[in-house]
Amino acid sequence: MPPNPRRFVFALGVFVSLHSPASGQAVPEAPEAPPAWPVLQDATDMSPLPGTTPLTMDGDISAALVEGADRFLMREIAASLGNRSRHWNRDTSSAEAYVESIAPNRARFRDIIGLRDARVETVDMEFTSPDPESLPIARGESFTVYTVRWPAFREVHGEGLLLVPDQTPVADVVAIPDADLHPEYLAGLVEGAETNFEYARTLAAAGCRVLVPLTIERSDSPHRMSHREWLYRPAFELGRHLIGYELQKVFAGLDYFEHTRDGDKRKTGVIGWGEGGLLALYAAAADERIDAACVSGYFGSRQSVWEEPAYRNVFRLLVEFGDAEIASMIAPRNLIVESSRGPEIVIPGLALNEEGRPARGSLNGKPGRLTTPAAVEVEEEIRRAHRLVHGMQPPWEIAAVREEGTGCSSRAVLELLGALGVDDSGGTPGPRSGVLRDSDNTALRHARQVREIVAHNEWALRESAHVRTEFMKDLDVKSLEGFENSVEKYRKIFREDVIGRFDRELLPSNPRSRGYQAGEGVRSYEVVLDVFPDVIAYGILTLPDDLDLSGAEKRPVVVCQHGLEGRPQDVIGESKFSAYEAFATRLAQRGFITFAPQNLYLGNDKFRLLQFKANSIGKTLFSVIVPQHRQIVTWLGSLPYVDPERIAFYGLSYGGKSAMRIPPLVDQRDAGPFYCLSICSADFNEWVWKNCSTRSKYSYAQKREYEIFEWDLGSTFNYAEMAALIAPRPFMVERGHFDGVAPDQKVAHEFAKVRRLYNLLGIGERAEIEWFIGPHKINGVGTFDFLHRHLEWPVR
């Protein structure tokens, strides 16, 4: 038998011919295979859609949409300053009345900085030493220095130094270092350190007992971000905060002071510079046991807090608090503010390579900077604090100190001593004396502190499922009617407290359109709608050619949402076809109307910083995105050929994230059209775990998506709880086995809770999941069937 004239090898998914034709024999050309994606041609000569005016915007409309949202958020941040007074009801008739009147503000402040975990009941100080033969690590002329460790909350401890005067202490002080200073700097144990950093040593020489806690460093973690940001990320998602954790260590130190005074009624103070200044200010505002606070290298306007590193992001801060408002919660106690040069750092943004992709070695952390506020800015914030408490009897004033250098000056320390009732007219620290702590032990101490917070975050993650169960206990699943009555309470919490809602009406949509493309059986239009001042909605509307625009027939609509760094063009044709399968056009070829909107997640750092701007005023990206979609469905529902009760949402990846957050808030209880079902593709999983785990390779805790974290989601809404907000409307998950979002078992675990809810409500057929062999992409098989069935549109 002659050999087979053609032999093939299959390698890497490509068939390669090994046949060589005989000499002189022509090789027939194989016919060119048609492309897999729908072929679309330019159709900009089409007239605008009926009922719209011509769209004349030039340039990149998607980028303009993001820039407009930025301008809107910046105006809202500016407006927050004038709106804060509505959250306060100060009574300045007396000091006692004032303290009582601001108690609700103090409680809210403690909540947003993450003071959630109960401290240990009894704080016993553990005296340690790097040298087992010598318990004190240093002695000054009138005090002794010890290395110490003390319990704060659960398994988390504070560590640092305790400076004990030789005589009975005249006051107790917690001296908090900046994140780039070890406690040894403050105690005068580092040769060559600036004198202004040695404020603990100065206080101890004046007769104070001084505790110096270690603060988590800004140094890089193994995940290409600072240790502070790495610990902040899961804590924020779980309703905690690195600020809160470090304050708990300070407060536990105060507990130790209280139960070791032997009846003495001496006063308590806090002092700090840089990050320590922030903690000193927040500590005195949150804990009334503190008689006096000194804040150095940190005080000013917080209107640009979004520019600072991620670990200073406090959700809803500017709604109620700037530094002046926080200072006003210290009144009538003593506050010293020193305008000195603070720590100055710059964290660079994302670096892109020639292909526009993240360059190798780029940082994963949020870009940010710390700068020293101008003296006039500090002075204005002090004046603002004075205005807030104007009329208080007796009058209250901040003691202002101005220092050109870094650290806490001797004058600021003297002001604090005076506020604590300590006479230090002749006291001086004296010469340095002692040993420099071994640097290896310093590194080990910091590593222990990091590990303890990591372990606590992991514990809080495990506990969060039980917290959410308790949170959702009022949801009635005994009947569909009872469920619909009880779920609205949770939608309101999701809308107001988790996503954040702007209290303003939508603008008239003023729809503008122009022809875009046409292909087999379809034609499309670019559409722009007004939403809020400077906020627009933009997308591509694709219509089947056989659609009667007169309204004789009303058809269902599928809103097809792109993912991260995507555009409407990605879901309609050749662009990114391997991920999106042109699903908007393919669905239109099946007779559906489709609309592909532009979402805000475009532009890398540009859009990610919008999340931090929004967070500062108690909002998120979805605080803007949800109104955009409300305007979209309102406009779609007004079209004569659209059935307003059959508008579905289908999103991939970040669009799947949108599928969990937008339909719950664009629902049938709102006036006008709504999303009647939702499909989450390539995103559904155990979302809180994905954000908070510091062990899993799937987790965002160590990845570039620094904007992804949502305040206190762990205590409220995981994806099963969000799906409950979509119910009783149909809900589906599209999941590829090779999708890197999460392992299959995490997806199945979370979806099982959704299926159970729908089954209990007697609507089990409305909740589905399709598993397919494939990666992070649209599959378009089970989901298309789901759309046909629940939108009641025949397959053709």
Side-chain angles (χ1 to χ4, degrees):
M1 178 181 292
N4 189 334
R6 291 186 181 273
R7 290 175 292 133
F8 294 87
V9 173
F10 185 82
L12 299 177
V14 178
F15 282 105
V16 181
S17 174
L18 301 182
H19 170 69
S20 297
S23 177
Q25 181 177 342
V27 180
E29 292 187 6
E32 184 176 347
W37 52 86
V39 177
L40 302 172
Q41 306 295 334
D42 180 273
T44 52
D45 57 345
M46 289 193 301
S47 299
L49 286 163
T52 69
T53 58
L55 174 60
T56 59
M57 287 182 69
D58 294 325
D60 189 340
I61 300 178
S62 295
L65 180 149
V66 176
E67 291 164 2
D70 191 359
R71 292 191 298 273
F72 171 77
L73 287 173
M74 291 302 292
R75 282 200 307 276
E76 292 291 319
I77 290 171
S80 69
L81 189 61
N83 294 334
R84 277 178 212 152
S85 59
R86 68 182 65 171
H87 301 284
W88 296 78
N89 186 26
R90 294 182 177 88
D91 181 350
T92 57
S93 61
S94 69
E96 293 77 12
Y98 178 78
V99 170
E100 183 178 351
S101 71
I102 65 169
N105 304 88
R106 196 188 317 278
R108 289 191 292 269
F109 178 68
R110 289 175 61 89
D111 183 69
I112 64 175
I113 59 176
L115 292 173
R116 297 286 177 88
D117 302 297
R119 295 196 305 278
V120 297
E121 292 186 3
T122 302
V123 178
D124 293 320
M125 195 67 68
E126 177 185 353
F127 291 80
T128 63
S129 174
D131 180 3
E133 300 299 320
S134 175
L135 191 58
I137 66 165
R139 294 186 186 277
E141 285 194 346
S142 59
F143 61 89
T144 303
V145 184
Y146 299 90
T147 56
V148 290
R149 183 172 184 263
W150 63 99
F153 55 98
R154 287 201 75 255
E155 304 300 321
V156 178
H157 297 75
E159 291 197 55
L161 301 179
L162 182 65
L163 286 65
V164 181
D166 295 343
Q167 305 299 321
T168 301
V170 295
D172 289 324
V173 180
V174 180
I176 312 172
D178 178 60
D180 287 337
L181 293 177
H182 297 154
E184 287 73 19
Y185 278 87
L186 276 61
L189 299 180
V190 177
E191 292 293 339
E194 295 185 39
T195 304
N196 281 0
F197 289 150
E198 298 179 346
Y199 42 96
R201 173 173 169 255
T202 304
L203 290 162
C208 299
R209 181 170 54 163
V210 185
L211 180 64
V212 189
L214 174 136
T215 50
I216 298 298
E217 297 173 2
R218 297 188 188 96
S219 58
D220 286 345
S221 73
H223 308 290
R224 301 206 303 277
M225 69 187 77
S226 73
H227 280 97
R228 295 188 70 80
E229 180 170 349
W230 186 54
L231 297 176
Y232 147 86
R233 288 181 174 194
F236 188 84
E237 187 91 0
L238 295 163
R240 277 87 170 169
H241 205 291
L242 182 59
I243 291 172
Y245 288 161
E246 296 194 316
L247 288 180
Q248 292 283 50
K249 298 177 184 182
V250 172
F251 298 154
L254 300 184
D255 296 339
Y256 169 74
F257 284 158
E258 280 190 324
H259 78 76
T260 57
R261 283 178 179 158
D262 299 324
D264 288 349
K265 294 184 178 180
R266 55 182 176 267
K267 292 184 176 181
T268 300
V270 291
I271 183 173
W273 175 79
E275 216 66 43
L278 178 154
L279 293 171
L281 179 68
Y282 282 28
D287 195 324
E288 296 176 70
R289 295 177 297 173
I290 295 169
D291 297 295
C294 179
V295 176
S296 180
Y298 176 88
F299 197 81
S301 171
R302 297 265 80 81
Q303 292 300 106
S304 296
V305 66
W306 57 270
E307 289 187 302
E308 298 177 26
Y311 50 80
R312 287 193 176 180
N313 179 44
V314 175
F315 190 74
R316 204 177 173 274
L317 181 71
L318 298 183
V319 172
E320 198 166 342
F321 307 101
D323 281 0
E325 285 80 11
I326 297 171
S328 77
M329 290 191 292
I330 299 173
R333 294 166 290 139
N334 292 284
L335 174 62
I336 300 100
V337 170
E338 180 174 52
S339 175
S340 67
R341 192 166 72 246
E344 298 184 349
I345 65 169
V346 175
I347 304 170
L350 179 66
L352 301 177
N353 60 23
E354 294 178 354
E355 299 175 349
R357 298 178 179 275
R360 183 181 296 276
S362 292
L363 295 178
N364 284 339
K366 172 191 176 292
R369 60 191 180 121
L370 295 179
T371 60
T372 298
V376 291
E377 177 186 320
V378 178
E379 291 163 2
E380 172 53 31
E381 197 71 6
I382 290 173
R383 284 193 294 270
R384 207 166 65 78
H386 290 162
R387 291 194 294 269
L388 293 174
V389 297
H390 178 70
M392 178 183 287
Q393 295 299 324
W396 178 80
E397 285 191 2
I398 295 172
V401 177
R402 189 163 179 174
E403 167 65 24
E404 297 300 326
T406 58
C408 295
S409 70
S410 58
R411 183 182 165 199
V413 175
L414 286 172
E415 288 280 357
L416 177 63
L417 288 169
L420 294 172
V422 178
D423 178 12
D424 191 47
S425 57
T428 60
R432 292 184 181 88
S433 175
V435 297
L436 174 64
R437 185 180 177 119
D438 180 79
S439 60
D440 289 339
N441 284 299
T442 301
L444 290 172
R445 177 181 60 186
H446 183 260
R448 281 195 303 271
Q449 292 281 279
V450 169
R451 283 198 302 271
E452 286 187 351
I453 293 177
V454 168
H456 185 76
N457 282 340
E458 291 286 349
W459 169 84
L461 170 59
R462 293 191 299 273
E463 286 295 304
S464 67
H466 305 293
V467 175
R468 290 191 300 276
T469 298
E470 178 67 17
F471 170 71
M472 297 293 290
K473 67 181 181 181
D474 292 334
L475 191 65
D476 184 354
V477 297
K478 296 178 182 178
S479 69
L480 195 55
E481 181 182 4
F483 172 83
E484 293 193 88
N485 289 333
S486 62
V487 75
E488 188 56 28
K489 160 188 170 181
Y490 293 100
R491 284 202 185 100
K492 182 178 179 181
I493 294 171
F494 190 62
R495 178 185 297 112
E496 302 289 340
D497 300 338
V498 176
I499 296 298
R501 180 180 68 88
F502 287 108
D503 186 17
R504 57 167 65 236
E505 296 295 322
L506 296 175
L507 295 174
S509 62
N510 184 25
R512 290 89 79 195
S513 72
R514 63 188 174 207
Y516 186 59
Q517 290 180 331
E520 182 180 350
V522 296
R523 63 193 185 280
S524 62
Y525 300 82
E526 288 185 291
V527 178
V528 170
L529 310 171
D530 291 334
V531 180
F532 293 150
D534 275 325
V535 177
I536 60 171
Y538 161 63
I540 296 174
L541 180 74
T542 302
L543 303 177
D545 281 346
D546 63 353
L547 176 66
D548 183 350
L549 298 186
S550 70
E553 175 191 32
K554 291 184 180 292
R555 293 198 187 182
V557 180
V558 183
V559 173
C560 301
Q561 189 62 68
H562 63 76
L564 181 65
E565 296 297 334
R567 295 169 179 266
Q569 290 76 7
D570 297 336
V571 305
I572 62 172
E574 180 179 358
S575 176
K576 299 185 181 179
F577 179 78
S578 61
Y580 293 105
E581 295 273 342
F583 74 116
T585 300
R586 290 171 56 210
L587 285 167
Q589 290 174 332
R590 287 171 170 246
F592 296 99
I593 298 166
T594 66
F595 187 79
Q598 177 67 57
N599 261 8
L600 280 179
Y601 30 85
L602 175 71
N604 290 302
D605 288 338
K606 288 183 180 179
F607 93 80
R608 292 194 161 109
L609 289 176
L610 295 184
Q611 177 82 326
F612 287 83
K613 293 178 182 183
N615 277 185
S616 72
I617 51 174
K619 305 296 190 293
T620 64
L621 287 174
F622 285 94
S623 303
V624 177
I625 294 172
V626 168
Q628 288 174 317
H629 278 260
R630 192 179 304 283
Q631 193 75 299
I632 287 167
V633 298
T634 299
W635 175 72
L636 288 171
S638 72
L639 300 176
Y641 42 86
V642 166
D643 183 347
E645 295 189 353
R646 289 189 292 166
I647 303 177
F649 190 101
Y650 184 178
L652 173 82
S653 192
Y654 220 120
K657 175 180 165 75
S658 299
M660 302 307 302
R661 289 160 179 80
I662 298 171
L665 303 181
V666 183
D667 74 306
Q668 59 264 48
R669 286 171 174 77
D670 299 311
F674 57 92
Y675 283 124
C676 69
L677 67 78
S678 182
I679 299 175
C680 176
S681 178
D683 184 74
F684 188 91
N685 71 103
E686 215 276 47
W687 184 256
V688 174
W689 165 84
K690 182 173 175 61
N691 283 270
C692 298
S693 174
T694 47
R695 301 183 64 186
S696 170
K697 68 178 182 179
Y698 298 96
S699 176
Y700 282 127
Q702 43 255 6
K703 297 187 185 299
R704 183 170 291 116
E705 288 84 352
Y706 56 80
E707 88 295 342
I708 210 84
F709 306 93
E710 296 158 286
W711 170 247
D712 203 17
L713 206 63
S715 303
T716 52
F717 299 96
N718 206 339
Y719 271 12
E721 288 78 21
M722 291 186 201
L725 305 184
I726 296 170
R729 293 165 287 168
F731 173 70
M732 184 173 182
V733 171
E734 185 175 46
R735 163 70 187 182
H737 286 303
F738 303 139
D739 192 331
V741 163
D744 282 346
Q745 59 267 31
K746 288 292 184 182
V747 178
H749 168 83
E750 194 69 10
F751 185 76
K753 292 182 280 186
V754 180
R755 174 79 80 181
R756 179 178 184 275
L757 171 66
Y758 275 72
N759 284 344
L760 289 174
L761 295 175
I763 51 173
E765 75 284 354
R766 298 185 194 177
E768 293 187 21
I769 186 169
E770 181 191 43
W771 304 89
F772 66 93
I773 298 175
H776 190 77
K777 67 184 291 290
I778 293 288
N779 190 47
V781 178
T783 51
F784 283 17
D785 291 343
F786 188 80
L787 289 168
H788 279 289
R789 184 165 67 257
H790 289 287
L791 295 180
E792 299 177 354
W793 184 252
V795 178
R796 61 184 197 181

